[in-house]
Amino acid sequence: FMTNEASYYGASMILDKKNLEQIARLLDGDFYLIPSSIHEMLCVPVNSDLDKDFLEYLLEDVNKTKVLPEEILEWHLYRYHVDKKELTYP
């Protein structure tokens, strides 16, 4: 997962391009970012067994049942593209 040292408002790490590039190297390619709250993002390789639709379903379920309304960051996944070095909605 991606957060800062304090695990407080750690989802802001998505703004650090060097951090995204490092995660892409560790995961060996493109990856999805799941905004699990304002405090953290989960990183899942695109080539994993978990497909985009399942990850979006999981995010929606967690937002509805586990995350405080004021700590919900987003209802959609992001995708980091290694070749373009950019984030998009998948």
Side-chain angles (χ1 to χ4, degrees):
F1 68 95
M2 181 188 339
T3 190
N4 56 24
E5 289 182 21
S7 295
Y8 190 70
Y9 289 105
S12 64
M13 297 297 289
I14 194 174
L15 302 173
D16 183 345
K17 290 183 180 187
K18 289 181 182 179
N19 190 38
L20 295 172
E21 290 173 16
Q22 181 180 15
I23 292 169
R25 283 191 301 275
L26 289 170
L27 298 178
D28 196 30
D30 290 7
F31 61 93
Y32 295 116
L33 283 154
I34 305 168
S36 59
S37 76
I38 59 174
H39 302 297
E40 69 182 14
M41 295 270 204
L42 303 176
C43 305
V44 178
V46 169
N47 62 1
S48 75
D49 291 337
L50 304 174
D51 72 5
K52 176 184 71 80
D53 292 334
F54 175 75
L55 294 173
E56 289 217 343
Y57 166 79
L58 184 66
L59 173 60
E60 183 178 339
D61 184 58
V62 169
N63 277 349
K64 288 179 179 177
T65 62
K66 304 291 184 198
V67 180
L68 296 173
E70 63 271 16
E71 293 187 351
I72 293 172
L73 179 62
E74 182 63 75
W75 290 89
H76 299 281
L77 304 176
Y78 294 94
R79 180 177 174 162
Y80 182 75
H81 299 269
V82 173
D83 57 340
K84 299 177 188 176
K85 294 186 178 182
E86 71 178 11
L87 282 173
T88 60
Y89 284 116

